[in-house]
Amino acid sequence: MAEPVGDGVRMGRSTMAVHAGSEPAALGRPISGAIVQSTTFESDPLGTGEVLYSRYGNNPNHRRLEEKIARLEGAEACLVAGSGMAAMGAALLSCLDSGDHVVASTALYGGTKAFLDRELSRLGIQTTYVDLAAPDWAEAIRPSSRVILAELPTNPLLRITDPSPLVEVAHGCGATLVTDVTFASPINFRGLEHGVDLVVHSATKYLGGHSDVTAGAVCGSRDLVDRARERARLFGTALDPHAAWLVERGIKTLALRMERHNANGVTVAAWLEQQPEVEHVHYPGLASHPDHQVASRLLDGFGGMLGLELVGGAERTTEFVRALRICTVAPSLGGVETLVSEPRFTSHVKLSAEERAALGIRDGFIRFSLGIEDADDLIVDLREALDAAFGVSGQVRGSREMGAVVGSTGKGEETG
Ligand code: PLP
């Protein structure tokens, strides 16, 4: 739906993705905005006016990008940072002091959970994890609760929680509702429209969209974002101007890319569900997904993220993943290319098999970030890999010399 913007020009989300944040029209204006590779800027000799300094996040590349993301999210303000974790760190620390308490979803990105457990706990900030779909989750609220933290959709089960009850509880107890919406992108879901206070993105994923830049963003009211900005300035998490330019350029095609990610998600999920070798497909666009109804109501698209469990579990998974030719084994998500990973080796590597199983992630669970390739080609790749893994051809076809690729990440760190 088109929305009126400042100068009276109406922009739908595709138009915003291309034009929002651009320099105003003028003869000689570069159509692709300049990269301002300058740390500092000439200032007023008497010290009046804002001091421009790239670590402060007020380089013209930061400003253009923040304006574009804020428009897409329908936010008063946006802060961009050097990574999704930098954005999440700034958001959380701007709302929390020593002695405060966080109520967080059990389904959080591993890095965020590690930040809560290892860093915030050292500052005397405790976290209680809850299943936000359980009717009694709000019993975890304490007088000291200052943040409720959720992800939408969750990784890797793609559960969708309606934020309305979370908003009600958060605002009833004076807490800030922070939601990581990386998997949705502002094309598929805009949390602020549903009462979320701060939305956080790893812009490394769909916003950047080409697996070539690490960045993060926080959007919300000017007051809340300014508080996060203060932390970001002190922690020195500013995005490099060239990286900001890359994200800005990536977002120009965001709406177009999401259209294809959404279409590929629906097509591949429906196809996979019909295959005899497939035990379960986790995709919110399928009627079999537990949150299909709420997802249909809240989302403008079901996205390109998909979970897959094969008959035969982890052993078959290894052969299947090794036999894929177009789909590439790598952590992270949201790029134009289809990536495949096993959460036990990437995002959930720090949890034991039992802890993962308790979250519904059995060994052998495969996560796909479907790219923008032709769905037919992806389906052929998947079919051939299934044939290889299940012995139709008698051996694993197309197996690359991957060795440890389907094993541990080696460093034992959580990756996307
Ligand atoms: N949030 C989610 C849902 C993620 O998947 C990731 C990384 O994979 C992050 C945050 C952290 O983002 P970054 O790697 O840009 O710091």
Side-chain angles (χ1 to χ4, degrees):
M1 197 178 69
E3 286 182 7
V5 291
D7 55 6
V9 177
R10 289 178 68 80
M11 292 197 198
R13 254 159 247 288
S14 297
T15 314
M16 270 183 213
V18 175
H19 293 288
S22 301
E23 298 292 338
L27 278 181
R29 170 182 68 105
I31 297 304
S32 169
I35 303 170
V36 183
Q37 201 70 49
S38 184
T39 55
T40 191
F41 299 81
E42 196 166 330
S43 309
D44 183 289
L46 297 178
T48 60
E50 184 185 4
V51 174
L52 299 178
Y53 183 59
S54 287
R55 176 170 57 80
Y56 291 175
N58 53 18
N59 175 298
N61 291 105
H62 300 137
R63 293 226 156 125
R64 290 209 307 264
L65 178 59
E66 288 179 351
E67 175 68 19
K68 195 185 274 301
I69 299 175
R71 285 277 182 83
L72 284 166
E73 285 289 357
E76 220 172 75
C78 169
L79 161 74
V80 292
S83 68
M85 283 306 299
M88 181 56 84
L92 292 177
L93 284 161
S94 68
C95 306
L96 293 164
D97 283 314
S98 185
D100 287 347
H101 175 246
V102 178
V103 175
S105 165
T106 45
L108 280 189
Y109 166 60
T112 306
K113 183 171 173 353
F115 184 71
L116 293 165
D117 293 346
R118 290 191 244 153
E119 294 302 315
L120 294 191
S121 68
R122 290 194 308 121
L123 304 177
I125 298 165
Q126 287 186 342
T127 301
T128 305
Y129 292 98
V130 296
D131 174 0
L132 288 172
D136 59 350
W137 72 268
E139 287 173 16
I141 295 283
R142 301 179 190 169
S144 57
S145 299
R146 291 289 166 272
V147 165
I148 297 176
L149 178 58
E151 273 181 28
L152 193 154
T154 64
N155 175 28
L157 296 170
L158 308 169
R159 300 298 307 262
I160 315 284
T161 308
D162 184 344
S164 310
L166 314 189
V167 172
E168 208 178 302
V169 172
H171 295 176
C173 70
T176 304
L177 177 59
V178 181
T179 304
D180 182 330
V181 290
T182 298
F183 275 34
S185 92
I187 302 302
N188 284 350
F189 177 72
R190 291 162 301 282
L192 302 172
E193 290 176 1
H194 298 271
V196 172
D197 297 303
L198 283 176
V199 296
V200 179
H201 283 280
S202 167
T204 313
K205 320 298 185 191
Y206 285 110
L207 295 181
H210 295 75
S211 307
D212 57 6
V213 60
T214 301
V218 185
C219 294
S221 68
R222 188 160 306 283
D223 175 46
L224 287 180
V225 170
D226 279 352
R227 282 198 249 164
R229 195 181 300 284
E230 256 179 67
R231 267 70 199 179
R233 283 185 176 198
L234 293 175
F235 302 148
T237 60
L239 190 56
D240 175 79
H242 183 233
W245 183 90
L246 279 172
V247 180
E248 184 189 5
R249 185 178 67 168
I251 294 177
K252 289 180 185 178
T253 56
L254 178 66
L256 205 57
R257 284 186 282 110
M258 290 314 298
E259 230 175 79
R260 178 61 75 89
H261 287 300
N262 292 337
N264 280 356
V266 168
T267 305
V268 171
W271 180 83
L272 278 171
E273 208 174 36
Q274 300 303 315
Q275 306 313 304
E277 300 90 344
V278 168
E279 189 163 301
H280 198 72
V281 183
H282 302 257
Y283 185 70
L286 292 175
S288 57
H289 191 278
D291 303 322
H292 179 60
Q293 299 292 338
V294 66
S296 305
R297 185 162 51 80
L298 292 179
L299 305 182
D300 290 337
F302 296 114
M305 300 303 297
L306 179 152
L308 176 64
E309 291 179 83
L310 297 179
V311 171
E315 206 176 305
R316 290 286 161 221
T317 299
T318 303
E319 292 183 30
F320 168 73
V321 168
R322 281 186 173 174
L324 290 165
R325 298 172 194 236
I326 294 175
C327 306
T328 305
V329 178
S332 202
L333 61 120
V336 292
E337 56 289 293
T338 295
L339 298 183
V340 54
S341 61
E342 288 189 57
R344 65 176 162 153
F345 299 137
T346 54
S347 55
H348 292 70
V349 68
K350 282 285 186 325
L351 304 187
S352 66
E354 293 71 34
E355 286 170 322
R356 285 191 297 267
L359 294 176
I361 309 162
R362 291 187 302 170
D363 281 356
F365 189 106
I366 310 166
R367 189 188 78 178
F368 280 88
S369 169
L370 296 167
I372 62 167
E373 302 95 336
D374 294 298
D376 288 351
D377 292 342
L378 295 176
I379 285 173
V380 168
D381 195 30
L382 293 165
R383 181 66 258 164
E384 289 185 357
L386 286 172
D387 288 349
F390 286 83
V392 169
S393 64
Q395 60 179 22
V396 177
R397 274 186 286 157
S399 170
R400 302 173 191 144
E401 291 302 315
M402 283 183 152
V405 169
V406 289
S408 161
T409 53
K411 295 201 176 74
E413 285 301 321
E414 303 87 353
T415 45

